[in-house]
Amino acid sequence: MRVQGRGLVDRNSPVTFRFDGIAYEGFAGDTLASALLANDVRLMGRSFKYHRPRGVLTAGSEEPNALVTVGAGVGQEPNMRATVQEIYPGLEAQSQNRWPSLGFDLLSVNDLAAPFLGAGFYYKTFMWPRAFWEKLYEPVIRRAAGLGALSGKPDGDRYERAWAFCDLLVIGAGPAGLMAALTAARAGLDVILADEDARMGGRLLAESHEVDGMPGPDWVDSVLNELQAMDNVRLMSRTTVTGAYDQGTYGALERVGHHLPRAEKRPLETFWRIVARRSILAAGALERPVAFTNNDRPGIMTAGAVRTYLNRYGVSPGKAVTVFGNNDDAHRTARDLIAAGVHVSAVIDARADAAVDVKAPIYKGAVVSGSSGRKQLESITVRSGGREEKIATDCLAMSGGWNPTVHLTCHMNGRPTWREDIQSFVPTPGAIPGMEVAGACNGTMTTAACLREGAEVAARVAADLGKKAKAADLPKAEDDPYRLTALWHVPGKGRAWLDFQNDVTVKDVKQAATENFRSVEHMKRYTTQGMATDQGKNSNVAALAILADATGRGIPETGTTTFRPPYAPVAIAAMGSGATGKGFAPERKTTSHAATVERKAPLIEAGLWYRPSYFPQAGETNWRQSCDREVGYVRNAVGICDVSTLGKIDIQGPDAARLLDFVYTNTFSTLKLGRVRYGLMLREDGHVMDDGTTARLGEHHYVMTTTTAAAGQVMKHLDFVTQALHPEWDVHLISVTEQWAQFAVAGPKSRELLNGLLDTSLSDDDWPFMACGEVSVAGVTGRLFRISFSGEHAYELAVPARFGDSLFRLLVARAEAMGGGAYGMEALNVLRVEKGFITHSEIHGRTTAYDIGMERMISAKKDCIGKTMAARPGLVDPERERLVGLRPAGAAKQITAGAHLFNPGDAPVRVNDQGYVTSVAFSPTLGMNIALGFLKRGPERYGETVKLVDHARGVETLCEVVNPVFFDPEGGRVRG
Amino acid sequence: MGDLIAKSACDGLLPLEIGGATLTEIVFDAITSVAPWRGHEQAVSDALKSQMGAAFPAPNRSTGKAKSRAVWSGRGQALVLGPPLEPIAGAAMTDQTDAWACVALEGPAARDVLARLVPIDLRDGSFKRGHAARTQLMHMSIVLMRTGADRYGIMALRSMAGTLVHDLETAMEAVAARG
């Protein structure tokens, strides 16, 4: 119910929203949880395993119970915490893990079966038959136990990632964080203040304390106003720092769109990487529940949460509230409620010697031992000196003390330190390099001390970074000592819940200890305590305290489980943001792309490049027809193909020739100006890295081409050689791949085509095979290379890329007028297989120069990378699988790449393997299927028959072993 | 014989104006890579000064002005943006005019846009006017220059111009959508 005169919500801005289909009204500034409580809705979810009715336990991001699904359909967001989700007009939220409805949930029968479903039940029960686990048990269990679901459709929302840099990252904007940020900012540091709440201020918004003589929220506003006005401060609200990583990098999740109606282009969340020279963790503390029988009914929550609802949201979670605690802090809840006019039924303090200054029935040395009410708390049982008494109440505010939020300090393997006086773990200094800790997360438990520590730590950091902080005037604030006596568990019959989200009870933890899962890490995994999305924020310390008791050890000896990032749940969509669809990888497009698409050519991806597969024409019904036609262009007339994707590396300098001689197996220092040579490059281990042609453009100037696939690898290799192996060489490398649009003009009519286009016509004398030089194309200076990947008389013509589109259209139009046209990758592949030319199908990383029949290309006159290793006996063994051609023996049958080769009489099993097929093509020129492959002692076996077996595709056929050069073995055409 | 028609790298893609940022293509008359041979560093720098009015830039820096700039692009290498250069003795030079998609991102939101794509520190004190970097934009390798208080020059591989514009446009939209 709303309480008049309390809260920071805007009562002039009503907001209508729906929960489980029913419309409610709240105010701007409400969370879903506070607005529902204001409407007396306490039942907000069903528990994970037993489907117990649950309400909110907390008022913050640690909430284990009140998880809802926001929205419906493609954009539905499961497992949103009602305590974090702000309301906005039109918000639609649904409860989860219930069927058919939240009020009547059939799967709550699990709760009746609870005696059988304790820790280890699944492990013990569903072991056999083994095959049933994946198909039957797991799906059924998942159906019954669960959280919200995604829509199953591709995510329609935007997420983004971003980087930020600062001198100081302050994590948390409560009293310590605000004071730290203020001190550091005044000293001139570049400060980012990040807080996970929509509104900064931390507990100062939730308490009734005065700071500096004014209400806490007013003091917060005054500080924020000052910070906002400073250029060196960046305030990031709704931003949860989720992880601490190496070198001062922090992950943070900002909720950008969750609190607003959907807008098409606004991201829902931003995943930040914040790089900070220093950080101050001021993350505060989380209140811990007390484990007593049936401590999970809707209406039972932490005492601090009750104060938050009252003081921040103007909501009392109950009409008659009972307060139960083991510390003085809990008394504040009763005092604030009474001051607001809410009835307090009782204050129960577990300590017999507690001083309780509250005008309500007081029970000292007493505990709450049970509760009743099914979907809502109706009464509690107080046990005092052996007597039990029922008290009617609809809300119990409980406090077992506060756990400092040490999580981030443990993200780099640090372990927290136990402090006996506050019965809590605190951060171990230095656990994260560059991180300081201040305030309640450091075990500093009063407002005045938090303010002081924030200022002190920030001043220290400023001094460390060479800035001087003025001694701050510390605002006056409450400084009441935080006194408590440990209280983890109230003994009794029935289930006392520790981990509300994963339904783990005190009994489960004891059971784990009994079954010898005594290590805290084993207990965690056996019971699943702390393994839900709240990561045990509400239960870790209590669970290990009970484990410590059950195993007869102290809490520090028992230790904590490991805290890992993220501190709060992060959508995978946020971490991978932008990298879907077009954002997955850059698209590299050639200058002929538009013309290619206009011709409806299907595109294939070659690395990041998009290249045409073939250019279909009217009447063609499958790719083979197009491909055969395009092969015919090149063999009979002239074909045009964009080859710009091949890597082109400009190499200049006095030692350019020396570099080429070193990286290629053959010699380039002897190459004449204006000539091109084919080169083979080995890896250090003697296997083939890449091949290509290199042209000599000047005395100290070469242009190397690489394959499309290996362009990056070769550039990296050359960089390595020139930086690491021979840094003394004066040689300069730069990629010119993108500068030139380069087209193959191939076929018997290629020269005729070019002569109609170039400003000076070509002759055999001036332009023999493997010549290169500058040419003028319609007044544009280009480069011409007489090289061939088809075995035909062919050229590659390059012009600056801006003319690529225009030149491609011109070349294709001219080729078409001469009975030729454009050809794609399929035809290119057929042409080269007919000639036995290799690609990375053959030089796939495991083959040597010897294997591909090019061992004579390793010059005996000089050293080169890979030469020594290539000479190892195992790499020149005649038994090795070596390159051959294959063609069908007898009737033409299918030949498939990837098939293996066997002797005809052998069974097609691994031990009989003789080799494999790497490339296949139907040769329209020869009218049959042909293939390249590797066969043991291959070149010695021409004329033999081998059995080709493709186990994966069920193909088996006999092939004849032949020379890999199927077409024009004398090479007359290329020179003609 | 037909004439060859020139198309710029971002032909048909730009300009864009979204929220507080504009994205425009810059077309330079020439882009030339210059890498001095060993021992020729000073002479090459002097030659640059006389040819285009700016010295050879130090690592992560650019020199010169809008129409005539030299930007560091790698170990012992700079790209000269603007005027075509005469050959310089003792320098490896290549024509890079067509190799790059060059864009300017400008406006009060420019830095926020880049912060979504580029992983380096762009604060005033760290990335000043005249600073440059070889870095990443989303998944692409780029040359980034700060050329004004709210103006950045970005160079990406020409073949990736579509992706460059897509990534920048997406980030511009996201920044603008925050209002």
Side-chain angles (χ1 to χ4, degrees):
Chain A
M1 63 177 186
R2 286 286 173 192
V3 178
Q4 290 309 310
R6 286 288 188 283
L8 308 172
V9 293
D10 182 359
R11 302 212 181 210
N12 296 319
S13 304
V15 174
T16 306
F17 66 97
R18 297 172 86 87
F19 178 63
D20 276 347
I22 299 167
Y24 297 98
E25 196 164 273
F27 296 115
D30 262 326
T31 61
L32 180 60
S34 70
L36 287 174
L37 287 174
N39 285 283
D40 296 328
V41 177
R42 307 220 175 104
L43 177 60
M44 295 189 201
R46 289 275 174 171
S47 74
F48 186 74
K49 186 166 155 189
Y50 298 117
H51 292 249
R52 301 260 296 181
R54 293 277 169 82
V56 286
L57 178 71
T58 72
S61 71
E62 71 276 23
E63 175 59 31
N65 290 338
L67 304 188
V68 300
T69 296
V70 173
V74 171
Q76 78 186 43
E77 298 287 327
N79 309 331
M80 305 300 284
R81 292 150 292 179
T83 51
V84 173
Q85 177 66 52
E86 298 161 61
I87 58 167
Y88 56 82
L91 170 72
E92 293 262 5
Q94 303 283 335
S95 58
Q96 300 181 161
N97 201 29
R98 81 288 186 273
W99 190 83
S101 74
L102 187 58
F104 177 70
D105 178 6
L106 283 178
L107 282 167
S108 58
V109 293
N110 276 6
D111 199 28
L112 303 176
F116 308 104
L117 294 178
F121 169 74
Y122 295 97
Y123 301 137
K124 291 168 187 165
T125 311
F126 296 107
M127 288 176 67
W128 35 255
R130 215 171 144 178
F132 275 34
W133 176 254
E134 203 173 306
K135 292 213 163 64
L136 179 66
Y137 295 147
E138 191 183 349
V140 169
I141 292 166
R142 281 195 187 282
R143 172 82 183 77
L147 298 165
L150 291 165
S151 68
K153 302 185 179 86
D155 189 10
D157 287 309
R158 282 203 188 185
Y159 293 79
E160 65 172 5
R161 49 186 144 175
W163 283 266
F165 298 80
C166 60
D167 296 329
L168 174 66
L169 169 65
V170 180
I171 302 160
L178 285 171
M179 211 57 210
L182 191 63
T183 307
R186 282 175 177 168
L189 292 185
D190 214 352
V191 177
I192 291 178
L193 175 60
D195 190 273
E196 68 176 343
D197 208 319
R199 183 163 173 167
M200 292 190 172
R203 284 305 298 177
L204 291 179
L205 306 179
E207 304 288 0
S208 53
H209 308 317
E210 290 203 335
V211 179
D212 227 8
M214 56 182 123
D218 293 355
W219 181 82
V220 170
D221 284 344
S222 73
V223 174
L224 289 176
N225 285 340
E226 181 176 344
L227 290 173
Q228 221 140 28
M230 296 166 94
D231 284 341
N232 54 329
V233 177
R234 180 169 186 168
L235 301 176
M236 297 177 74
S237 60
R238 298 190 179 94
T239 303
T240 309
V241 176
T242 56
Y245 304 92
D246 285 329
Q247 290 156 8
T249 305
Y250 297 85
L253 184 73
E254 180 188 11
R255 305 187 305 282
V256 180
H258 283 303
H259 61 292
L260 299 166
R262 284 286 207 284
E264 195 196 338
K265 287 168 181 170
R266 181 175 48 224
L268 268 189
E269 296 174 353
T270 302
F271 189 76
W272 289 89
R273 289 161 179 83
I274 301 173
V275 182
R277 295 171 72 193
R278 295 284 191 282
S279 67
I280 296 176
L281 182 70
L286 298 173
E287 199 166 20
R288 53 199 186 210
V290 180
F292 60 85
T293 304
N294 291 327
N295 60 338
D296 66 331
R297 298 198 194 282
I300 301 178
M301 61 190 79
T302 62
V306 171
R307 294 204 295 284
T308 304
Y309 288 117
L310 178 69
N311 294 321
R312 176 162 174 189
Y313 300 106
V315 170
S316 174
K319 294 183 174 68
V321 183
T322 307
V323 176
F324 168 40
N326 64 340
N327 60 78
D328 292 358
D329 193 63
H331 304 164
R332 287 179 179 148
T333 307
R335 284 198 294 269
D336 285 358
L337 287 165
I338 291 165
V342 179
H343 176 70
V344 173
S345 304
V347 175
I348 301 151
D349 196 312
R351 301 165 299 170
D353 59 348
V356 188
D357 174 25
V358 181
K359 291 187 181 64
I362 292 167
Y363 297 75
K364 291 190 201 178
V367 290
V368 176
S369 60
S371 75
S372 61
R374 180 68 188 160
K375 289 176 206 163
Q376 177 179 324
L377 180 68
E378 286 163 11
S379 71
I380 54 153
T381 306
V382 180
R383 186 192 298 154
S384 176
R387 273 195 358 209
E388 292 206 330
E389 178 183 342
K390 272 199 169 185
I391 298 175
T393 185
D394 60 352
C395 174
L396 178 69
M398 63 177 162
S399 177
W402 292 80
N403 287 329
T405 307
V406 301
H407 304 66
L408 284 172
T409 66
C410 301
H411 282 184
M412 292 173 76
N413 259 342
R415 294 281 169 178
T417 306
W418 179 251
R419 244 178 75 181
E420 195 64 30
D421 60 332
I422 58 169
Q423 290 288 305
S424 286
F425 285 99
V426 294
T428 302
I432 301 286
M435 179 187 274
E436 302 273 351
V437 185
C441 71
N442 199 29
T444 304
M445 293 309 208
T446 74
T447 309
C450 284
L451 293 164
R452 185 170 58 244
E453 194 167 82
E456 283 170 2
V457 168
R460 202 160 64 228
V461 168
D464 229 24
L465 296 179
K467 303 272 186 184
K468 197 165 156 43
K470 279 192 195 144
D473 293 335
L474 287 172
K476 285 195 185 62
E478 68 81 24
D479 206 8
D480 303 336
Y482 169 68
R483 284 185 291 252
L484 91 165
T485 305
L487 174 65
W488 307 107
H489 172 216
V490 176
K493 281 183 77 173
R495 284 171 294 169
W497 306 88
L498 286 167
D499 184 337
F500 292 77
Q501 204 175 4
N502 259 355
D503 275 349
V504 178
T505 64
V506 170
K507 188 182 142 208
D508 292 328
V509 173
K510 289 182 172 169
Q511 177 78 10
T514 306
E515 299 193 12
N516 211 25
F517 294 99
R518 294 160 61 90
S519 146
V520 66
E521 298 282 8
H522 290 160
M523 176 278 286
K524 167 180 169 169
R525 282 150 184 85
Y526 193 61
T527 62
T528 73
Q529 180 275 322
M531 290 167 66
T533 55
D534 76 341
Q535 297 205 296
K537 289 188 184 68
N538 306 290
S539 58
N540 276 341
V541 178
L544 74 90
I546 284 159
L547 180 69
D549 187 47
T551 54
R553 293 171 296 182
I555 290 173
E557 292 77 49
T558 304
T560 62
T561 52
T562 310
F563 298 97
R564 294 187 179 86
Y567 169 73
V570 178
I572 299 292
M575 284 191 274
S577 58
T580 56
K582 291 267 180 199
F584 177 68
E587 292 175 339
R588 296 185 83 175
K589 291 179 179 165
T590 60
T591 57
S592 63
H593 187 82
T596 300
V597 172
E598 282 165 26
R599 287 169 176 269
K600 301 194 167 47
L603 297 170
I604 53 168
E605 290 175 47
L608 298 173
W609 289 100
Y610 287 78
R611 305 187 75 183
S613 191
Y614 54 94
F615 293 86
Q617 282 192 355
E620 289 174 345
T621 53
N622 78 38
W623 69 273
R624 262 284 308 285
Q625 290 171 304
S626 311
C627 174
D628 290 357
R629 172 177 48 75
E630 291 169 13
V631 170
Y633 288 163
V634 176
R635 291 279 176 243
N636 305 315
V638 58
I640 307 296
C641 181
D642 192 330
V643 293
S644 311
T645 63
L646 273 75
K648 297 182 273 292
I649 302 171
D650 191 275
I651 301 169
Q652 295 188 47
D655 293 312
R658 191 175 281 173
L659 170 67
L660 290 168
D661 283 350
F662 189 56
V663 295
Y664 275 131
T665 59
N666 47 334
T667 308
F668 281 78
S669 51
T670 56
L671 182 65
K672 290 195 186 83
L673 287 185
R675 287 293 182 273
V676 183
R677 185 168 283 168
Y678 175 79
L680 192 69
M681 209 178 272
L682 304 184
R683 294 190 314 233
E684 197 75 74
D685 66 3
H687 292 81
V688 178
M689 173 189 274
D690 198 40
D691 68 344
T693 58
T694 288
R696 190 166 200 174
L697 303 182
E699 174 65 19
H700 301 301
H701 189 185
Y702 294 81
V703 174
M704 173 188 284
T705 65
T706 73
T707 58
T708 300
Q713 186 193 1
V714 171
M715 189 71 181
K716 195 167 132 187
H717 180 62
L718 297 183
D719 270 332
F720 177 75
V721 172
T722 53
Q723 291 183 38
L725 302 183
H726 284 291
E728 76 284 5
W729 287 350
D730 192 5
V731 59
H732 305 272
L733 312 168
I734 189 167
S735 169
V736 289
T737 307
E738 300 268 344
Q739 166 66 19
W740 300 97
Q742 192 155 322
F743 304 99
V745 181
K749 295 184 181 172
S750 56
R751 183 160 56 198
E752 186 188 336
L753 186 152
L754 288 173
N755 278 343
L757 185 68
L758 301 178
D759 298 339
T760 313
S761 61
L762 311 170
S763 71
D764 242 354
D765 288 345
D766 296 340
W767 284 90
F769 182 51
M770 298 304 250
C772 70
E774 276 192 0
V775 290
S776 176
V777 193
V780 171
T781 301
R783 287 176 177 174
L784 188 69
F785 306 84
R786 185 167 167 190
I787 52 179
S788 176
F789 196 49
S790 58
E792 296 298 329
H793 182 159
Y795 301 84
E796 288 186 10
L797 176 61
V799 291
R802 86 195 89 139
F803 300 112
D805 175 77
S806 186
L807 180 62
F808 180 75
R809 291 173 194 271
L810 197 59
L811 289 171
V812 173
R814 282 171 177 263
E816 284 172 345
M818 298 167 76
Y823 66 101
M825 293 304 99
E826 294 295 348
L828 181 109
N829 191 51
V830 171
L831 290 161
R832 69 97 191 168
V833 174
E834 287 178 344
K835 286 295 295 176
F837 292 151
I838 55 169
T839 66
H840 280 284
S841 295
E842 284 72 39
I843 47 172
H844 50 51
R846 294 183 292 118
T847 49
T848 63
Y850 178 71
D851 296 340
I852 55 171
M854 294 192 189
E855 65 274 19
R856 281 190 303 274
M857 276 189 68
I858 304 179
S859 169
K861 293 180 189 156
K862 65 172 186 73
D863 191 19
C864 72
I865 289 183
K867 182 176 178 177
T868 306
M869 297 298 258
R872 285 178 289 173
L875 296 192
V876 290
D877 184 346
E879 287 295 316
R880 284 180 68 83
E881 294 161 344
R882 292 148 68 193
L883 185 69
V884 293
L886 297 164
R887 66 180 188 201
K893 283 190 187 165
Q894 198 183 4
I895 299 182
T896 53
H900 279 250
L901 303 173
F902 301 90
N903 290 323
D906 286 350
V909 294
R910 180 182 53 80
V911 288
N912 294 331
D913 196 18
Q914 292 289 304
Y916 54 96
V917 180
T918 52
S919 297
V920 295
F922 174 78
S923 165
T925 318
L926 305 171
M928 63 171 156
N929 287 309
I930 55 174
L932 299 175
F934 288 86
L935 181 67
K936 286 186 177 174
R937 293 186 295 105
E940 301 166 24
R941 296 170 68 176
Y942 293 165
E944 283 185 23
T945 301
V946 292
K947 183 165 67 177
L948 176 152
V949 181
D950 187 333
H951 295 84
R953 301 185 189 88
V955 173
E956 184 170 330
T957 188
L958 292 176
C959 289
E960 185 189 342
V961 180
V962 295
N963 188 305
V965 186
F966 294 91
F967 181 68
D968 186 28
E970 299 77 27
R973 299 175 71 92
V974 77
R975 292 181 170 81
Chain B
M1 189 189 323
D3 280 339
L4 292 182
I5 302 156
K7 261 191 183 181
S8 70
C10 300
D11 183 68
L13 299 172
L14 294 177
L16 284 177
E17 179 171 1
I18 302 171
T22 58
L23 186 65
T24 47
E25 180 171 20
I26 311 170
V27 178
F28 293 106
D29 289 345
I31 302 175
T32 312
S33 72
V34 178
W37 290 10
R38 197 152 299 167
H40 291 70
E41 291 82 359
Q42 190 55 50
V44 169
S45 184
D46 292 345
L48 280 184
K49 268 187 220 161
S50 70
Q51 280 203 47
M52 47 83 64
F56 192 90
N60 291 329
R61 294 292 182 272
S62 71
T63 57
K65 293 195 173 102
K67 296 259 160 68
S68 182
R69 200 186 299 280
V71 58
W72 182 84
S73 59
R75 197 175 57 108
Q77 184 192 81
L79 295 172
V80 174
L81 317 173
L85 297 182
E86 295 298 321
I88 299 171
M93 297 166 76
T94 69
D95 185 3
Q96 295 276 325
T97 313
D98 295 46
W100 299 90
C102 305
V103 298
L105 179 69
E106 195 170 13
R111 187 174 4 185
D112 283 341
V113 171
L114 287 179
R116 275 142 184 82
L117 299 166
V118 176
I120 64 169
D121 186 356
L122 297 172
R123 284 178 296 163
D124 283 330
S126 311
F127 197 72
K128 301 173 185 170
R129 194 189 292 220
H131 283 206
R134 287 302 303 251
T135 180
Q136 263 180 285
L137 185 141
M138 195 73 184
H139 299 133
M140 273 177 295
S141 172
I142 58 159
V143 180
L144 179 69
M145 289 162 271
R146 186 163 186 188
T147 54
D150 283 335
R151 187 179 162 95
Y152 299 86
I154 303 164
M155 299 171 68
L157 297 185
R158 181 191 184 98
S159 64
M160 299 186 189
T163 300
L164 175 71
V165 172
H166 168 269
D167 291 348
L168 282 163
E169 185 177 7
T170 305
M172 288 162 80
E173 285 172 352
V175 171
R178 284 182 179 237

